[in-house]
Amino acid sequence: MFASLHKNKNAQIVLGLLFGICFGFLLQKGGVTSYAVIEGQLLLTDFTVLKLMLSAVIVGMAGFHLMRHFGFVQSHAAEGSMGSNVIGGLIFGVGFALLGYCPGTVAGAVGTGALDALFGGMVGLLIGAGIFAELYPRLRTRILVWGKFPAVTVPEFLNMNLWIVIVLMEVFMIGFLVVLWYLGL
Amino acid sequence: MDFLTQATWSPYVAGAGIGVLSCLAFLLSDRPIECSTAFVKARGLISRMFNREGTDKKEYYKEIIPQVDWAFMIIPGVVIGAFIASILSGQFHIFWVPAMWGTSFGYDPVPRIIVALAGGILLGLGSRWAGGCTSGHGINGFIQLSLASMITACCFFAGGIATALLLFRVIGA
């Protein structure tokens, strides 16, 4: 479905911009383009970021897998490894706390007038991406493939039915939000 | 239309909206909403202005082609979207130092920009190392039940929580 739209480069450029605009609008309205909100989450004093992310996943997981069941969308989940996902994730985490924004919210913060996000964050991201491009030929066949995970998706890993995993995850995520609300966080 | 000018929405409402938007991106563009890829493309486009052949020879830019496409346009879009949202609610203001940083470390822009730059470099390196960012792995990988994305998202927060506690509870305490 929509295969011709997927291949239409100019339409996709316009769609990319439109998706970005909606995403940026929702990030700002959700409060997560604010430095204090992100650092508050990392200091475990303000749970806005987790509330927003889990709400997105609760809705998105149900919608994505229903659409996939009827053949409207396909999965892009890829194989991962300790060397890529754990090491890269931890490097990202250190940068996340030092900057106080992530690659999407840094752009959102620029839109709200944050010059530290523009001249520190965005310039740094361009430098960091360039460093990775330099290192890539040496990392690609070594550290990035070290400790490959045994499965691509969680249902494969647990050897469980897809829909049972989805229902369990939805219940767990909603339960987590209820616990946050109950604790007054 | 009061909701458009409200300072913030409930994070549950904004989050649910992002969930719907993610589904639409899979449907209409066959892609997860991912922000860090755009920085590779932008960096490649800048490098090409100075050294076209050298840039095109690099392995990474053969995989992530530096061009203005869907993944690139996400970032200008996010800047515009957040700008519109903050203008509508009267929150737009230009500043160098966020108040929370200023309270702990002072309002001199120089230390803030140096730390933000260091953070940005690690974020650029780490996001490409892990193959995605908070939206690519944290939201859209999670939606697809990707094992690698769930592990990555946990590492984002593990590294982030440890560093933030060190920064604000030890150094800036």
Side-chain angles (χ1 to χ4, degrees), chain A residues 57-69:
Chain A
V57 174
I58 288 166
V59 171
M61 190 180 282
F64 175 82
H65 289 281
L66 279 173
M67 289 196 298
R68 187 163 175 240
H69 180 76

Side-chain angles (χ1 to χ4, degrees), chain B residues 73-114:
Chain B
M73 292 309 287
I74 288 289
I75 291 297
V78 169
V79 175
I80 295 167
F83 176 73
I84 295 170
S86 64
I87 287 283
L88 283 176
S89 55
Q91 289 168 300
F92 180 86
H93 72 291
I94 302 251
F95 63 94
W96 280 99
V97 179
M100 184 180 172
W101 172 279
T103 312
S104 288
F105 302 103
Y107 283 90
D108 181 356
V110 177
R112 171 59 192 149
I113 296 301
I114 291 171

Side-chain angles (χ1 to χ4, degrees), chain A residues 2 5-6 12-13 15-17 19-31 33 35-36 39-45 48-49 51-53 55-57 59-61 63-65 67 72-80 83-99 101-104 106-108 110-116 119-137 139-140 143-144 149-155 157 162 165-166 169 173 177, chain B residues 3-33 35-36 38-40 42-43 46 58-61 63 68-70 73-86 88-89 91-98 100-101 112-113 115-135 137-139 142-152 155-165 167-169:
Chain A
F2 295 115
L5 179 63
H6 296 164
Q12 288 301 330
I13 289 175
L15 276 175
L17 183 68
F19 276 117
I21 290 173
C22 295
F23 190 46
F25 191 93
L26 289 166
L27 289 174
Q28 198 280 337
K29 284 291 162 228
T33 56
Y35 176 86
E39 294 291 5
Q41 178 64 70
L42 297 177
L43 293 170
L44 306 176
T45 54
T48 305
V49 175
K51 287 174 191 167
L52 179 130
M53 287 180 72
S55 303
V57 174
V59 171
M61 190 180 282
F64 175 82
H65 289 281
M67 289 196 298
F72 295 152
V73 299
Q74 55 179 343
S75 177
H76 294 262
E79 191 179 42
S84 164
N85 299 91
V86 173
I87 295 175
L90 291 172
I91 296 171
F92 181 108
V94 176
F96 193 18
L98 290 180
L99 178 58
Y101 312 107
C102 58
V106 76
V110 169
T112 69
L115 297 179
D116 61 331
F119 294 104
M122 283 199 143
V123 172
L125 267 150
L126 291 173
I127 297 171
I131 294 172
F132 185 79
E134 289 297 325
L135 296 176
Y136 185 65
L139 300 175
R140 189 175 64 89
I143 196 160
L144 293 181
F149 297 139
V152 173
T153 67
V154 174
F157 179 65
L162 172 70
V165 173
I166 291 171
M169 298 241 3
M173 289 188 289
L177 291 180
Chain B
F3 68 97
L4 287 176
T5 55
Q6 274 174 9
T8 52
W9 295 349
S10 147
Y12 307 113
V13 173
I18 289 170
V20 172
L21 196 66
S22 295
C23 287
L24 286 173
F26 282 115
L27 183 66
L28 300 177
S29 299
D30 191 25
R31 284 180 162 282
I33 294 179
C35 294
S36 65
F39 290 96
V40 181
R43 176 54 198 256
I46 295 168
K58 286 206 166 46
E59 260 182 80
Y60 199 52
Y61 295 128
E63 288 183 23
V68 174
D69 55 12
W70 192 96
M73 292 309 287
I74 288 289
I75 291 297
V78 169
V79 175
I80 295 167
F83 176 73
I84 295 170
S86 64
L88 283 176
S89 55
Q91 289 168 300
F92 180 86
H93 72 291
I94 302 251
F95 63 94
W96 280 99
V97 179
M100 184 180 172
W101 172 279
R112 171 59 192 149
I113 296 301
V115 171
L117 190 66
I121 292 171
L122 291 173
L123 214 49
L125 182 63
S127 60
R128 297 329 303 162
W129 198 302
C133 65
T134 331
S135 53
H137 278 309
I139 295 175
F142 227 99
I143 284 174
Q144 299 175 84
L145 292 168
S146 156
L147 180 66
S149 293
M150 291 190 191
I151 293 169
T152 311
C155 292
F156 289 166
F157 282 96
I161 289 167
T163 309
L165 289 173
L167 193 63
F168 284 97
R169 298 284 184 260

